[in-house]
Amino acid sequence: MAMKVLEDCINCAACESECPNTAIHAGDPVFVIDAARCTECVGAHDTPRCVSVCPVDCIIVDASLAESKEQLQARYAQLHS
């Protein structure tokens, strides 16, 4: 799965620098997460860093993009090879 940013985003940018895969970028009007780069921090952290630093709790799992932990780990390995 990938994470997604809800409309409640205040554009604080706290999440952007926390992403180990550079999947988060400023959008209009809210930050966006590139699903092709997001691994929910599998391979880097125990939990998604963007969620833990978001001051307004506006980042959630995008259930429409379901992937196994193995798929996320493989993507992380590919991105960092």
Side-chain angles (χ1 to χ4, degrees), residues 22-38:
T22 61
I24 304 173
H25 302 284
D28 185 25
V30 299
F31 273 74
V32 294
I33 299 176
D34 181 352
R37 297 190 66 82
C38 180

Side-chain angles (χ1 to χ4, degrees), residues 1-3 15 18-21 24 33 38-54 59-61 69 72-73 76:
M1 285 182 250
M3 307 305 291
C15 59
E18 292 294 321
C19 182
N21 304 319
I24 304 173
I33 299 176
C38 180
T39 63
E40 297 180 43
C41 287
V42 170
H45 303 286
D46 292 334
T47 59
R49 294 288 302 146
C50 58
V51 172
S52 65
V53 300
C54 180
I59 303 174
I60 63 168
V61 172
K69 188 170 185 173
L72 296 170
Q73 181 67 50
Y76 180 83

